[in-house]
PDB file of all heavy atoms in Angstrom:
ATOM      1  N   GLY A 820     -71.264   2.727 -63.019  1.00 65.00           N
ATOM      2  CA  GLY A 820     -71.485   1.547 -62.192  1.00 65.00           C
ATOM      3  C   GLY A 820     -71.880   0.321 -62.973  1.00 65.00           C
ATOM      4  O   GLY A 820     -72.117  -0.752 -62.393  1.00 65.00           O
ATOM      5  N   ARG A 821     -71.945   0.423 -64.297  1.00 72.00           N
ATOM      6  CA  ARG A 821     -72.347  -0.698 -65.137  1.00 72.00           C
ATOM      7  C   ARG A 821     -71.143  -1.592 -65.407  1.00 72.00           C
ATOM      8  O   ARG A 821     -70.054  -1.113 -65.681  1.00 72.00           O
ATOM      9  CB  ARG A 821     -72.923  -0.164 -66.445  1.00 72.00           C
ATOM     10  CG  ARG A 821     -73.372  -1.244 -67.444  1.00 72.00           C
ATOM     11  CD  ARG A 821     -74.100  -0.577 -68.606  1.00 72.00           C
ATOM     12  NE  ARG A 821     -73.302   0.466 -69.210  1.00 72.00           N
ATOM     13  CZ  ARG A 821     -72.428   0.246 -70.210  1.00 72.00           C
ATOM     14  NH1 ARG A 821     -72.258  -0.972 -70.688  1.00 72.00           N
ATOM     15  NH2 ARG A 821     -71.744   1.259 -70.714  1.00 72.00           N
ATOM     16  N   ASP A 822     -71.348  -2.921 -65.313  1.00 73.00           N
ATOM     17  CA  ASP A 822     -70.291  -3.898 -65.574  1.00 73.00           C
ATOM     18  C   ASP A 822     -70.440  -4.480 -66.967  1.00 73.00           C
ATOM     19  O   ASP A 822     -71.560  -4.641 -67.489  1.00 73.00           O
ATOM     20  CB  ASP A 822     -70.324  -5.024 -64.546  1.00 73.00           C
ATOM     21  CG  ASP A 822     -69.923  -4.546 -63.162  1.00 73.00           C
ATOM     22  OD1 ASP A 822     -69.391  -3.428 -63.067  1.00 73.00           O
ATOM     23  OD2 ASP A 822     -70.141  -5.285 -62.189  1.00 73.00           O
ATOM     24  N   LYS A 823     -69.304  -4.800 -67.553  1.00 78.00           N
ATOM     25  CA  LYS A 823     -69.303  -5.397 -68.883  1.00 78.00           C
ATOM     26  C   LYS A 823     -68.072  -6.264 -69.020  1.00 78.00           C
ATOM     27  O   LYS A 823     -67.025  -5.970 -68.443  1.00 78.00           O
ATOM     28  CB  LYS A 823     -69.311  -4.302 -69.959  1.00 78.00           C
ATOM     29  CG  LYS A 823     -69.393  -4.836 -71.375  1.00 78.00           C
ATOM     30  CD  LYS A 823     -69.411  -3.692 -72.392  1.00 78.00           C
ATOM     31  CE  LYS A 823     -69.480  -4.240 -73.821  1.00 78.00           C
ATOM     32  NZ  LYS A 823     -69.474  -3.141 -74.819  1.00 78.00           N
ATOM     33  N   ASN A 824     -68.187  -7.358 -69.780  1.00 77.00           N
ATOM     34  CA  ASN A 824     -67.053  -8.257 -70.001  1.00 77.00           C
ATOM     35  C   ASN A 824     -66.291  -7.848 -71.251  1.00 77.00           C
ATOM     36  O   ASN A 824     -66.879  -7.461 -72.272  1.00 77.00           O
ATOM     37  CB  ASN A 824     -67.525  -9.700 -70.154  1.00 77.00           C
ATOM     38  CG  ASN A 824     -68.008 -10.277 -68.840  1.00 77.00           C
ATOM     39  OD1 ASN A 824     -67.771  -9.702 -67.792  1.00 77.00           O
ATOM     40  ND2 ASN A 824     -68.698 -11.406 -68.897  1.00 77.00           N
ATOM     41  N   LEU A 825     -64.976  -7.942 -71.162  1.00 79.00           N
ATOM     42  CA  LEU A 825     -64.105  -7.718 -72.309  1.00 79.00           C
ATOM     43  C   LEU A 825     -63.445  -9.043 -72.652  1.00 79.00           C
ATOM     44  O   LEU A 825     -62.698  -9.605 -71.839  1.00 79.00           O
ATOM     45  CB  LEU A 825     -63.043  -6.662 -71.988  1.00 79.00           C
ATOM     46  CG  LEU A 825     -61.961  -6.441 -73.050  1.00 79.00           C
ATOM     47  CD1 LEU A 825     -62.571  -5.860 -74.323  1.00 79.00           C
ATOM     48  CD2 LEU A 825     -60.860  -5.527 -72.522  1.00 79.00           C
ATOM     49  N   ASN A 826     -63.756  -9.574 -73.822  1.00 81.00           N
ATOM     50  CA  ASN A 826     -63.202 -10.858 -74.249  1.00 81.00           C
ATOM     51  C   ASN A 826     -61.946 -10.625 -75.077  1.00 81.00           C
ATOM     52  O   ASN A 826     -61.947  -9.839 -76.029  1.00 81.00           O
ATOM     53  CB  ASN A 826     -64.236 -11.643 -75.070  1.00 81.00           C
ATOM     54  CG  ASN A 826     -65.450 -12.018 -74.242  1.00 81.00           C
ATOM     55  OD1 ASN A 826     -65.317 -12.411 -73.086  1.00 81.00           O
ATOM     56  ND2 ASN A 826     -66.641 -11.892 -74.821  1.00 81.00           N
ATOM     57  N   ILE A 827     -60.893 -11.318 -74.712  1.00 79.00           N
ATOM     58  CA  ILE A 827     -59.609 -11.204 -75.403  1.00 79.00           C
ATOM     59  C   ILE A 827     -59.173 -12.599 -75.811  1.00 79.00           C
ATOM     60  O   ILE A 827     -59.162 -13.536 -74.994  1.00 79.00           O
ATOM     61  CB  ILE A 827     -58.548 -10.547 -74.510  1.00 79.00           C
ATOM     62  CG1 ILE A 827     -58.954  -9.104 -74.182  1.00 79.00           C
ATOM     63  CG2 ILE A 827     -57.181 -10.574 -75.172  1.00 79.00           C
ATOM     64  CD1 ILE A 827     -57.971  -8.390 -73.274  1.00 79.00           C
ATOM     65  N   THR A 828     -58.819 -12.750 -77.063  1.00 80.00           N
ATOM     66  CA  THR A 828     -58.368 -14.038 -77.592  1.00 80.00           C
ATOM     67  C   THR A 828     -56.857 -14.161 -77.453  1.00 80.00           C
ATOM     68  O   THR A 828     -56.121 -13.214 -77.786  1.00 80.00           O
ATOM     69  CB  THR A 828     -58.763 -14.186 -79.070  1.00 80.00           C
ATOM     70  OG1 THR A 828     -60.184 -14.047 -79.188  1.00 80.00           O
ATOM     71  CG2 THR A 828     -58.344 -15.546 -79.604  1.00 80.00           C
ATOM     72  N   PHE A 829     -56.433 -15.296 -76.970  1.00 80.00           N
ATOM     73  CA  PHE A 829     -54.998 -15.522 -76.783  1.00 80.00           C
ATOM     74  C   PHE A 829     -54.326 -15.582 -78.148  1.00 80.00           C
ATOM     75  O   PHE A 829     -54.623 -16.475 -78.965  1.00 80.00           O
ATOM     76  CB  PHE A 829     -54.779 -16.830 -76.015  1.00 80.00           C
ATOM     77  CG  PHE A 829     -53.393 -16.980 -75.464  1.00 80.00           C
ATOM     78  CD1 PHE A 829     -52.930 -16.145 -74.457  1.00 80.00           C
ATOM     79  CD2 PHE A 829     -52.538 -17.956 -75.954  1.00 80.00           C
ATOM     80  CE1 PHE A 829     -51.662 -16.289 -73.935  1.00 80.00           C
ATOM     81  CE2 PHE A 829     -51.263 -18.101 -75.451  1.00 80.00           C
ATOM     82  CZ  PHE A 829     -50.830 -17.254 -74.432  1.00 80.00           C
ATOM     83  N   PRO A 830     -53.406 -14.657 -78.451  1.00 82.00           N
ATOM     84  CA  PRO A 830     -52.844 -14.571 -79.804  1.00 82.00           C
ATOM     85  C   PRO A 830     -51.650 -15.515 -79.992  1.00 82.00           C
ATOM     86  O   PRO A 830     -51.116 -16.083 -79.040  1.00 82.00           O
ATOM     87  CB  PRO A 830     -52.403 -13.110 -79.878  1.00 82.00           C
ATOM     88  CG  PRO A 830     -52.017 -12.787 -78.470  1.00 82.00           C
ATOM     89  CD  PRO A 830     -52.922 -13.597 -77.575  1.00 82.00           C
ATOM     90  N   SER A 831     -51.245 -15.641 -81.226  1.00 81.00           N
ATOM     91  CA  SER A 831     -50.036 -16.417 -81.538  1.00 81.00           C
ATOM     92  C   SER A 831     -48.803 -15.518 -81.587  1.00 81.00           C
ATOM     93  O   SER A 831     -47.679 -15.994 -81.409  1.00 81.00           O
ATOM     94  CB  SER A 831     -50.206 -17.135 -82.880  1.00 81.00           C
ATOM     95  OG  SER A 831     -50.489 -16.200 -83.905  1.00 81.00           O
ATOM     96  N   ASP A 832     -49.006 -14.204 -81.851  1.00 81.00           N
ATOM     97  CA  ASP A 832     -47.880 -13.271 -81.847  1.00 81.00           C
ATOM     98  C   ASP A 832     -47.340 -13.143 -80.423  1.00 81.00           C
ATOM     99  O   ASP A 832     -48.107 -12.957 -79.476  1.00 81.00           O
ATOM    100  CB  ASP A 832     -48.319 -11.896 -82.354  1.00 81.00           C
ATOM    101  CG  ASP A 832     -48.792 -11.955 -83.801  1.00 81.00           C
ATOM    102  OD1 ASP A 832     -48.350 -12.884 -84.503  1.00 81.00           O
ATOM    103  OD2 ASP A 832     -49.613 -11.102 -84.193  1.00 81.00           O
ATOM    104  N   ARG A 833     -46.049 -13.212 -80.312  1.00 81.00           N
ATOM    105  CA  ARG A 833     -45.467 -13.232 -78.978  1.00 81.00           C
ATOM    106  C   ARG A 833     -44.373 -12.185 -78.816  1.00 81.00           C
ATOM    107  O   ARG A 833     -43.759 -11.745 -79.796  1.00 81.00           O
ATOM    108  CB  ARG A 833     -44.903 -14.610 -78.668  1.00 81.00           C
ATOM    109  CG  ARG A 833     -43.681 -15.019 -79.486  1.00 81.00           C
ATOM    110  CD  ARG A 833     -43.224 -16.406 -79.080  1.00 81.00           C
ATOM    111  NE  ARG A 833     -44.239 -17.418 -79.327  1.00 81.00           N
ATOM    112  CZ  ARG A 833     -44.233 -18.636 -78.817  1.00 81.00           C
ATOM    113  NH1 ARG A 833     -43.251 -18.979 -77.995  1.00 81.00           N
ATOM    114  NH2 ARG A 833     -45.175 -19.505 -79.102  1.00 81.00           N
ATOM    115  N   ILE A 834     -44.175 -11.840 -77.562  1.00 82.00           N
ATOM    116  CA  ILE A 834     -43.070 -10.976 -77.154  1.00 82.00           C
ATOM    117  C   ILE A 834     -42.120 -11.825 -76.324  1.00 82.00           C
ATOM    118  O   ILE A 834     -42.507 -12.376 -75.293  1.00 82.00           O
ATOM    119  CB  ILE A 834     -43.570  -9.784 -76.308  1.00 82.00           C
ATOM    120  CG1 ILE A 834     -44.560  -8.937 -77.097  1.00 82.00           C
ATOM    121  CG2 ILE A 834     -42.388  -8.930 -75.839  1.00 82.00           C
ATOM    122  CD1 ILE A 834     -45.234  -7.869 -76.250  1.00 82.00           C
ATOM    123  N   VAL A 835     -40.898 -11.948 -76.777  1.00 83.00           N
ATOM    124  CA  VAL A 835     -39.889 -12.692 -76.024  1.00 83.00           C
ATOM    125  C   VAL A 835     -39.165 -11.691 -75.127  1.00 83.00           C
ATOM    126  O   VAL A 835     -38.609 -10.698 -75.607  1.00 83.00           O
ATOM    127  CB  VAL A 835     -38.890 -13.406 -76.960  1.00 83.00           C
ATOM    128  CG1 VAL A 835     -37.837 -14.143 -76.148  1.00 83.00           C
ATOM    129  CG2 VAL A 835     -39.635 -14.366 -77.881  1.00 83.00           C
TER     130      VAL A 835
END
Side-chain angles (χ1 to χ4, degrees):
R821 179 172 54 89
D822 291 347
K823 183 179 179 181
N824 289 347
L825 173 66
N826 296 319
I827 296 179
T828 303
F829 195 67
S831 57
D832 297 335
R833 68 180 62 195
I834 300 172
V835 179

